Structure formats: C-alpha cells, structure tokens
C-alpha cells in the first residue's frame, strides 16, 4: 500500500500541522520496592510483620529505565523546521519555548506512536481531553495559553514503522539509525561521544 502524501490523511482545517518527534535518552533507576527493601533490611526480622511484607512486596524488585527527552523537533506542511534542544533534567522549559516559537493559534502536533510522546508534553498543557479507543491513545486536545493544541497519533492512520515510510510514500530518505542504548543520561550530558563507542551498540554489521 502506497500513499501520495501524509497530509492527505489529516483533517483539512485551519490547524497548523507539525510532524513532530521527541528524541529521548534513559536513566537507570532503582525501583521503589528495591529502595524500600534496602531500608527495611536493616530492621530485625521480628519488626517486619507479614503485613509489612505484603505491603512492600519485597519480592517484586526491578530496575527501571526512566525515559527523558533531550530534543523536540518538527516540520510543518510548509517545510518550516522547529528544533528545540531540551535540558534533560528540566525538559518542560524547552517544551514551552518550542510551543512559544510556533506563531499560530491552532496547532496540531502529529507524532508516530503519540501514546509514547504525549506524556512528555502533557505537563505544560491545560484543559486536557484525551480520546482513547480499546486502551490505545487516539488524540488529545488542550490549551497552551491561548493556543489550541491537538496531538494526533499517525500510527492510527498508518500502522507501520517509520523506517518503512520511504517505501510507503515513495521518497528516498530513510529513517536514521538510532542505537538507543547509546543514549544514556551520562552520554547525553557529554554531548559528544566517540564514534567507536557508538558503533559497539549496533548488532547488525550492515548498520555500521
């Protein structure tokens, strides 16, 4: 199946369409259960009742990856580019700047798999309404100041991977290769990473 233009699949109205994406890194964090276990391990066994064990669920110990955005980028139908580097520790400031730089009162942000991306922007919006279907995110409406914001998930319109878009739409550009495990909190703070360090994160020799 091929499409002529992704714009053909979006509503024809007075909203400015911006095809956007968050680039994210991750930070390994100890789960709350593990923190609690370390805390209560110092107590005598007699002090930890069965009720405490039930509440703390000490056997459920996981190390979690906290995803943190460091870049918000987008392009509109007129090929205007919007790029905003985010402070990985305080991304909301950069997200506010990104939205302020868009000189339009009605903005439709289109993310591929918006169910992931919208969580990073939701904290700077007001009057939020979210539409879900079968527990899947469809669209969000809200306000940023006086600007009306819609977040749309292009995956609901084109249920395919971004890396296949060049075939679907018949263009030559391909999705960048992103070794996601490279984008740790520590590496993003470095800004520049040695190329040899980056290559070791690729499993496929052809990608190198």
């Amino acid at each position: 199946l091929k499409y002529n233009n992704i714009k053909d699949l979006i509503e024809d109205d007075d909203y400015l369409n911006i095809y956007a994406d968050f680039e994210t890194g991750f930070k390994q964090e100890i789960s709350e259960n593990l923190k609690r276990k370390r805390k209560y391990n110092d107590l005598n066994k007699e002090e930890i009742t069965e009720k405490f064990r039930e509440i703390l669920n000490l056997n459920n110990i996981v190390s979690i990856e906290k995803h943190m955005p460091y870049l918000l980028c987008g392009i509109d139908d007129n090929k205007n580019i919007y790029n905003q580097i985010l402070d990985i520790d305080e991304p909301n400031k950069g997200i506010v700047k990104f939205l302020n730089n868009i000189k339009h009162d009605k903005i439709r942000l289109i993310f591929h798999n918006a169910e992931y991306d919208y969580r990073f922007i939701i904290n700077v919006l007001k009057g939020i309404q979210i539409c879900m279907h079968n527990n899947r995110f469809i669209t969000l409406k809200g306000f940023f100041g006086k600007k009306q914001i819609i977040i749309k998930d292009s995956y609901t319109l084109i249920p395919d991977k971004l890396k296949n878009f060049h075939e679907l739409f018949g263009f030559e550009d391909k999705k960048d290769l992103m070794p996601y495990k490279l984008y740790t909190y520590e590496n993003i703070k470095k800004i520049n990473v040695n190329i040899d360090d980056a290559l070791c994160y690729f499993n496929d020799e052809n990608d190198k």
Side-chain angles (χ1 to χ4, degrees), residues 40 43-58:
Y40 286 99
L43 299 175
N44 294 327
K45 289 185 178 180
E46 293 76 13
E47 295 178 82
I48 305 179
T49 64
E50 287 303 316
K51 186 65 178 175
F52 264 140
R53 292 185 185 278
E54 179 182 338
I55 293 173
L56 296 175
N57 193 13
L58 296 185

Side-chain angles (χ1 to χ4, degrees), residues 153-197:
D153 189 355
S154 58
Y155 189 84
T156 62
L157 303 172
I158 312 170
D160 208 333
K161 296 179 179 179
L162 280 176
K163 70 177 184 179
N164 296 330
F165 270 35
H166 69 287
E167 297 177 356
L168 296 174
F169 291 97
F171 50 74
E172 295 182 0
D173 293 339
K174 296 183 180 180
K175 186 178 185 292
D176 291 340
L177 292 171
M178 298 287 289
Y180 289 109
K181 290 298 181 181
L182 172 66
Y183 290 86
T184 63
Y185 177 85
E186 292 75 18
N187 283 341
I188 291 170
K189 282 289 189 179
K190 291 178 187 176
I191 300 179
N192 295 315
V193 178
N194 184 284
I195 186 64
D196 291 329
D197 293 336

Side-chain angles (χ1 to χ4, degrees), residues 27 114 141 191:
K27 186 176 185 179
K141 294 182 178 180
I191 300 179

Side-chain angles (χ1 to χ4, degrees), residues 141-157:
K141 294 182 178 180
F143 290 88
F144 175 72
K146 294 182 179 180
K147 294 180 178 179
Q148 299 179 46
I149 306 292
I150 291 178
I151 296 176
K152 196 101 175 168
D153 189 355
S154 58
Y155 189 84
T156 62
L157 303 172

Side-chain angles (χ1 to χ4, degrees), residues 4 7 13 43 45 47 60 99 115 121 126 142 147 160 162 183 206:
N4 292 325
K7 187 179 178 182
D13 52 27
L43 299 175
K45 289 185 178 180
E47 295 178 82
N60 183 19
L99 293 174
E115 189 167 14
I121 201 170
K126 303 292 184 184
K147 294 180 178 179
D160 208 333
L162 280 176
Y183 290 86
N206 292 327

